[in-house]
Amino acid sequence: MLVLDQIHTYYDRIHALKGVSLTVQQGEIVTLIGSNGAGKSTTLRTISGLLNPRMGSITLDGEPIDHLPAHEITRLGISHSPEGRKIFARLTVEENLELGAFARKDKPGIREDMNRVMDLFPRLRERLHQRGGTLSGGEQQMLAIGRALMSRPRILLLDEPSMGLAPLLVEQIFRIIENINEQGTTILLVEQNAHVALSIANRAYVMETGVIVLEGPAAEVLASPQVREAYLGG
């Protein structure tokens, strides 16, 4: 469904991604793990069109998307919930969700998806007219994921959804991610909580300094001595 082939991405002269190749099949949860600065977020930003690769190709269903603007990539079915949530703090929960559907014209479908998001995240229904900036960290993360779902994506890119959350909330967020996947949305997940990410993923990639160093079924990656020592505390 989604294929990255030998992607090289730069920040000015800094070579951030050095020949990254990965695939995401329809219906999968694929996780990308690694330490801070490994290039995980850069990979998602390159897929979603916020960064353009200098070399390599990205295809969605065989069609190239690597030099399309971000809003066109969203229209094609890839939605990005970014690291740090990046919600619109002065807008209400409802307005944030509506902005997630900016590329859509089907008002009945938008209302249907608004209800779906609020069924997934009941707290958002309770705070529909509250400003995003007044929500707790966990509620802001729910809003960021919900906003990404409002474009009705075929592939959802999730960047560090557990960052800064209490353990109980992390468990809740990951149950919801599994639920979203079971409802038919393919997911590419970047997550520093490697154990939780690997426990729900079908396949996994491990990244170090802009290079994929290990890949395979998530259970095999979870059992790898290299991964256990580096990311799971032995």
Side-chain angles (χ1 to χ4, degrees), residues 107-120:
K107 289 186 179 180
I110 291 171
R111 179 52 54 186
E112 179 184 323
D113 285 342
M114 183 86 73
N115 287 327
R116 175 196 172 204
V117 166
M118 289 186 288
D119 286 343
L120 284 168

Side-chain angles (χ1 to χ4, degrees), residues 52-125:
N52 288 327
R54 289 194 193 174
M55 296 174 59
S57 66
I58 305 174
T59 57
L60 178 65
D61 293 330
E63 296 296 323
I65 63 169
D66 43 86
H67 285 89
L68 293 178
H71 65 278
E72 290 293 342
I73 291 172
T74 300
R75 285 193 175 97
L76 289 173
I78 297 178
S79 190
H80 187 174
S81 177
E83 180 183 11
R85 297 145 196 167
K86 306 276 195 305
I87 64 163
F88 298 99
R90 295 185 180 183
L91 300 183
T92 66
V93 167
E94 184 174 30
E95 289 166 338
N96 269 273
L97 293 174
E98 287 171 345
L99 281 172
F102 77 95
R104 298 174 58 183
K105 306 296 182 187
D106 57 320
K107 289 186 179 180
I110 291 171
R111 179 52 54 186
E112 179 184 323
D113 285 342
M114 183 86 73
N115 287 327
R116 175 196 172 204
V117 166
M118 289 186 288
D119 286 343
L120 284 168
F121 301 107
R123 289 194 203 183
L124 297 185
R125 191 187 299 276

Side-chain angles (χ1 to χ4, degrees), residues 5-153:
D5 184 22
Q6 290 296 308
I7 288 295
H8 293 259
T9 299
Y10 289 73
Y11 292 99
D12 294 324
R13 296 182 180 180
I14 298 172
H15 196 176
L17 300 183
K18 306 166 186 174
V20 169
S21 296
L22 62 83
T23 62
V24 181
Q25 304 292 341
Q26 186 169 352
E28 284 189 312
I29 299 177
V30 175
T31 189
L32 181 60
I33 64 172
S35 58
N36 276 336
K40 307 183 304 295
S41 295
T42 301
T43 301
L44 296 194
R45 289 169 62 83
T46 303
I47 294 168
S48 63
L50 298 174
L51 296 169
N52 288 327
R54 289 194 193 174
M55 296 174 59
S57 66
I58 305 174
T59 57
L60 178 65
D61 293 330
E63 296 296 323
I65 63 169
D66 43 86
H67 285 89
L68 293 178
H71 65 278
E72 290 293 342
I73 291 172
T74 300
R75 285 193 175 97
L76 289 173
I78 297 178
S79 190
H80 187 174
S81 177
E83 180 183 11
R85 297 145 196 167
K86 306 276 195 305
I87 64 163
F88 298 99
R90 295 185 180 183
L91 300 183
T92 66
V93 167
E94 184 174 30
E95 289 166 338
N96 269 273
L97 293 174
E98 287 171 345
L99 281 172
F102 77 95
R104 298 174 58 183
K105 306 296 182 187
D106 57 320
K107 289 186 179 180
I110 291 171
R111 179 52 54 186
E112 179 184 323
D113 285 342
M114 183 86 73
N115 287 327
R116 175 196 172 204
V117 166
M118 289 186 288
D119 286 343
L120 284 168
F121 301 107
R123 289 194 203 183
L124 297 185
R125 191 187 299 276
E126 297 167 9
R127 291 155 175 72
L128 199 59
H129 303 296
Q130 191 171 322
R131 288 190 178 187
T134 66
L135 302 178
S136 70
E139 290 163 352
Q140 289 188 17
Q141 186 60 68
M142 295 173 187
L143 180 55
I145 296 173
R147 182 182 59 189
L149 288 172
M150 286 300 296
S151 67
R152 195 173 281 185

